[in-house]
Amino acid sequence: MTDDPLLVPLTSGVPYYSLRHGQSVWSPRQKPSFMVYDDWDLFWIQRGAVTIAFKDRRRLVAGVDEFIVLPPFTPITMSAAKPGVVLAFAHFSFRLPRPFAMDSAQAKALEGDALGPGPDALLPMKFDSSEAPAVWQAYGDLLQLRPSPSEPWRIERALVTLVAKLAGFAVRRTRAHPSGMVLTPQRIDARVETVRQRIDADPSFHWRISALAAEVGISPSQLQRLHATAFGETLKHHIVSTRLRMAITLLRGRSNGRPRSIRDVSSACGFSSPNYFCRRFKAQFRITPLAYRNGEMTV
């Protein structure tokens, strides 16, 4: 395989831009944000620093001119590690070329690969602009473009270039680090782990922080302090985020062949009222539960 990024085979599909890229400026009081997308995500930290917590307890911190790549369906909680965060983001997917004829065995082998390079990719991945100047330049070029109805191909061409540079960098890093850029698990207090496992196992239960603290033999204030230190968020925020992740699944599912009502999903996830559920869902994902259920947008 060549080291020329523009000649590196990307995937079985062709990258395309879904009109979702831009810049996010965080307020000084920005709360931790839970995110999960069904496409590839590339974040460029332009000011400040962010902490990303993964569901398996891994964490990473990214500062100015550092990049983070996430594969599809990777749930994270992003919070500010330093105030004044400004980050650029780009989301991209892959579509299969047409006609796409293959036998059933080939189709089975490529199943799930249309969104990216598959389970062997070195992702999630973090790197800085000095490690991958070509990626930095290509991303900057993409951010300079504005959608034009008369020339939509310009953005797609810029995106293909960015993804190609990113693929080339990933290939070279794989060769330099055969074992992969593994994120080191942070040591978490066993009592905090126990509490989170209890919550994750039954998000809809009406948890009381005082009762959870009593179960592991510490005070509520100590539990909340240990949790905030380890995960950068309050325990209450984690409970709500876990319920919202549950809601994402239920909203796209069906009950007796029909879409679930917002009231039913709210109750099943443990929210006190549909109105409160809708407010928290929209605050977290910038879309209403009804719009998400109807397929108007992914989160």
Side-chain angles (χ1 to χ4, degrees), residues 202-221:
D202 189 6
S204 62
F205 186 79
H206 293 284
W207 297 106
R208 296 177 62 88
I209 293 176
S210 57
L212 288 167
E215 284 188 27
V216 294
I218 57 178
S219 68
S221 60

Side-chain angles (χ1 to χ4, degrees), residues 40-69:
W40 289 88
D41 309 304
L42 176 61
F43 297 101
W44 173 10
I45 314 305
Q46 298 178 310
R47 193 173 70 197
V50 300
T51 297
I52 290 184
F54 296 88
K55 192 174 181 181
D56 61 3
R57 310 295 191 261
R58 295 180 299 171
R59 302 178 73 196
L60 61 80
V61 177
V64 175
D65 279 344
E66 290 189 316
F67 298 82
I68 298 168
V69 184

Side-chain angles (χ1 to χ4, degrees), residues 90-292:
H91 305 279
F92 51 92
S93 298
F94 292 82
R95 58 184 169 213
L96 296 176
R98 295 289 187 260
F100 189 65
M102 61 171 58
D103 60 36
S104 59
Q106 290 174 313
K108 185 68 176 177
L110 287 175
E111 185 177 353
D113 190 48
L115 287 175
D120 295 329
L122 267 178
L123 298 170
M125 183 169 65
K126 187 185 86 166
F127 56 93
D128 61 37
S129 56
S130 64
E131 293 179 273
V135 175
W136 177 77
Q137 180 64 54
Y139 201 171
D141 292 343
L142 173 63
L143 292 177
Q144 293 298 317
L145 295 176
R146 294 293 179 266
S148 170
S150 61
E151 296 179 318
W153 54 269
R154 289 187 180 276
I155 286 183
E156 290 214 3
R157 185 177 68 176
L159 180 72
V160 169
T161 301
L162 171 60
V163 175
K165 300 291 186 183
L166 188 58
F169 170 71
V171 168
R172 290 191 294 275
R173 170 170 279 188
T174 302
R175 291 173 176 169
H177 305 277
S179 60
M181 301 299 290
V182 179
L183 297 174
T184 304
Q186 184 186 31
R187 290 188 177 182
I188 307 297
D189 189 290
R191 295 166 295 187
V192 176
E193 287 275 20
T194 298
V195 167
R196 284 177 67 97
Q197 288 169 5
R198 293 271 285 136
I199 294 169
D200 293 348
D202 189 6
S204 62
F205 186 79
H206 293 284
W207 297 106
R208 296 177 62 88
I209 293 176
S210 57
L212 288 167
E215 284 188 27
V216 294
I218 57 178
S219 68
S221 60
Q222 185 180 6
L223 172 60
Q224 297 203 69
R225 184 173 63 254
L226 289 171
H227 187 275
T229 300
F231 295 98
E233 64 175 355
T234 66
L235 193 55
K236 181 180 179 181
H237 186 274
H238 174 67
I239 293 171
V240 172
S241 295
T242 305
R243 289 173 176 170
L244 290 174
R245 290 198 294 270
M246 181 180 178
I248 288 174
T249 301
L250 294 181
L251 284 167
R252 288 288 173 89
R254 289 180 170 268
S255 177
N256 297 323
R258 297 181 179 180
R260 289 185 172 92
S261 70
I262 302 302
R263 180 178 295 276
D264 287 346
V265 172
S266 170
S267 176
C269 295
F271 288 95
S272 57
S273 72
N275 287 338
Y276 177 65
F277 164 59
C278 290
R279 288 200 306 271
R280 295 307 299 257
F281 192 95
K282 187 174 182 179
Q284 190 83 2
F285 303 120
R286 300 180 183 179
I287 183 175
T288 66
L290 181 61
Y292 177 76

Side-chain angles (χ1 to χ4, degrees), residues 64-81:
V64 175
D65 279 344
E66 290 189 316
F67 298 82
I68 298 168
V69 184
L70 300 176
F73 303 107
T74 302
I76 64 167
T77 298
M78 183 181 291
S79 56

